[in-house]
């Protein structure tokens, strides 16, 4: 009886530890609840029209996103704060869904802007308050007939698991540093960011647009480090990821990420 009680107590403690670990980390991704939305697609099978976009990721092939991407309606896009976030989508309630259609995973790289000249149920798919995903055509064709044009979906936010470390694309001039942050793991987003030169302390960077942050400081001819916080409050630091003699159009990859 005593042994049974001890085993029961150990089991309860272990379960409590698992729950505690879950609560301190995984709720940064959505709980396993599916939400309702719709999905369309833009561009053709090459996904060439999805390159660039409102997040500023440029060539999505070169920067690790490929064609598994989506433009979000403004409700989900949240003024660019959702750039880099990852979602699972499944086609539902439509004859156009493939039988046993797979769940697809996409990364937010663009904004699907409102079309105020069309009603929300007939062309204005991305008008507030609609939650909508405008996919690349290759992604859409993984779970539905492209001739459908639009299908209802269930979606949920999930962890991003990119290859390699966080990448930093540098732009600006000697008095203004603009950095696009790409290939971010974990939540996939960046909520706050700091930069440090070899001759400075940590300088807070303000959000510019999409996935870019800026600092109005003279930082040339200094190796640069970045401190990044995601929306869960997790922080990683990429030390000296930018070499001393950097130029204003380079892309550099760190060896850290939100694994």
């Amino acid at each position: 009886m005593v042994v049974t009680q001890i085993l029961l107590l150990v089991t309860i403690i272990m379960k409590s530890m698992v729950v505690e670990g879950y609560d301190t980390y995984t709720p940064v991704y959505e709980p396993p609840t599916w939400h309702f939305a719709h999905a369309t697609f833009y561009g053709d099978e090459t996904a060439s029209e999805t390159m660039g976009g409102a997040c500023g990721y440029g060539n999505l092939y070169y920067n690790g996103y490929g064609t598994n991407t989506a433009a979000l309606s403004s409700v989900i896009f949240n003024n660019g704060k959702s750039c880099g976030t990852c979602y699972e989508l499944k086609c539902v309630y439509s004859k156009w869904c493939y039988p046993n259609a797979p769940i697809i995973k996409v990364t937010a790289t663009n904004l699907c802007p409102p079309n105020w000249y069309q009603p929300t149920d007939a062309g204005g798919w991305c008008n507030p308050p609609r939650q909508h995903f405008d996919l690349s055509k290759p992604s859409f064709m993984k779970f539905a007939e492209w001739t459908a044009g639009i299908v209802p979906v269930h979606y949920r936010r999930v962890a991003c698991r990119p290859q390699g470390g966080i990448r930093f694309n540098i732009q600006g001039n000697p008095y203004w540093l603009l950095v696009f942050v790409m290939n971010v793991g974990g939540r996939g987003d960046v909520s706050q960011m700091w930069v440090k030169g070899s001759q400075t302390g940590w300088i807070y960077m303000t959000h510019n647009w999409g996935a870019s942050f800026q600092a109005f400081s003279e930082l040339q001819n200094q190796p640069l480090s970045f401190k990044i916080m995601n929306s869960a409050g997790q922080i990683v630091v990429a030390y000296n990821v930018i070499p001393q003699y950097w130029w204003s159009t380079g892309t550099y990859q760190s060896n850290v990420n939100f694994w």
Side-chain angles (χ1 to χ4, degrees), residues 72-80 111-114 116 126-130 132:
L72 309 182
S73 61
S74 56
V75 171
I76 310 176
F77 190 70
N78 194 21
N79 294 318
L111 166 68
C112 181
W116 302 113
C126 292
N127 294 354
R130 288 181 67 103
H132 191 86

Side-chain angles (χ1 to χ4, degrees), residues 15-28:
K15 286 184 177 179
S16 298
M17 290 172 67
V18 171
V19 171
E20 182 179 357
Y22 179 89
D23 287 343
T24 57
Y25 188 74
T26 53
V28 299

Side-chain angles (χ1 to χ4, degrees), residues 200-211:
T200 75
W202 286 107
I203 300 168
Y204 183 75
M205 304 182 74
T206 58
H207 182 245
N208 186 286
W209 63 277

Side-chain angles (χ1 to χ4, degrees), residues 168 233 241:
F168 303 89
V241 65

Side-chain angles (χ1 to χ4, degrees), residues 108-126:
T109 59
N110 203 355
L111 166 68
C112 181
N115 182 354
W116 302 113
Y117 296 102
Q118 300 290 340
T120 57
D121 59 350
W125 310 123
C126 292

Side-chain angles (χ1 to χ4, degrees), residues 84-254:
T85 51
C86 297
Y87 301 87
E88 287 183 335
L89 281 74
K90 57 182 177 180
C91 187
V92 295
Y93 313 138
S94 173
K95 66 179 182 179
W96 301 106
C97 299
Y98 292 143
N100 302 314
I103 294 173
I104 66 171
K105 185 175 180 179
V106 297
T107 304
T109 59
N110 203 355
L111 166 68
C112 181
N115 182 354
W116 302 113
Y117 296 102
Q118 300 290 340
T120 57
D121 59 350
W125 310 123
C126 292
N127 294 354
R130 288 181 67 103
Q131 300 184 75
H132 191 86
F133 293 81
D134 203 6
L135 308 175
S136 70
K137 191 173 182 180
S139 287
F140 188 92
M141 291 192 301
K142 289 179 180 178
F143 68 8
E145 296 281 354
W146 70 269
T147 50
I150 181 171
V151 292
V153 297
H154 282 160
Y155 78 93
R156 63 184 177 186
R157 186 168 172 181
V158 294
C160 299
R161 304 189 186 281
Q163 297 294 317
I166 297 173
R167 296 177 183 171
F168 303 89
N169 175 261
I170 306 298
Q171 299 182 29
N173 58 49
Y175 308 98
W176 172 60
L177 178 69
L178 181 68
V179 182
F180 288 85
V181 189
M182 302 173 289
N183 205 51
V184 180
R187 283 194 66 86
D189 58 18
V190 177
S191 64
Q192 296 186 65
M193 186 169 170
W194 296 260
V195 61
K196 182 182 184 302
S198 58
Q199 302 171 28
T200 75
W202 286 107
I203 300 168
Y204 183 75
M205 304 182 74
T206 58
H207 182 245
N208 186 286
W209 63 277
S212 69
F213 290 77
Q214 63 188 359
F216 293 91
S217 302
E218 295 186 50
L219 293 166
Q220 281 196 327
N221 300 321
Q222 300 178 58
L224 301 181
S225 303
F226 295 101
K227 179 164 58 175
I228 299 172
M229 178 186 291
N230 66 16
S231 55
Q234 297 169 302
I235 293 176
V236 295
V237 181
Y239 289 104
N240 299 319
V241 65
I242 311 298
Q244 179 176 359
Y245 299 109
W246 52 270
W247 56 95
S248 62
T249 57
T251 297
Y252 305 86
Q253 181 164 307
S254 70

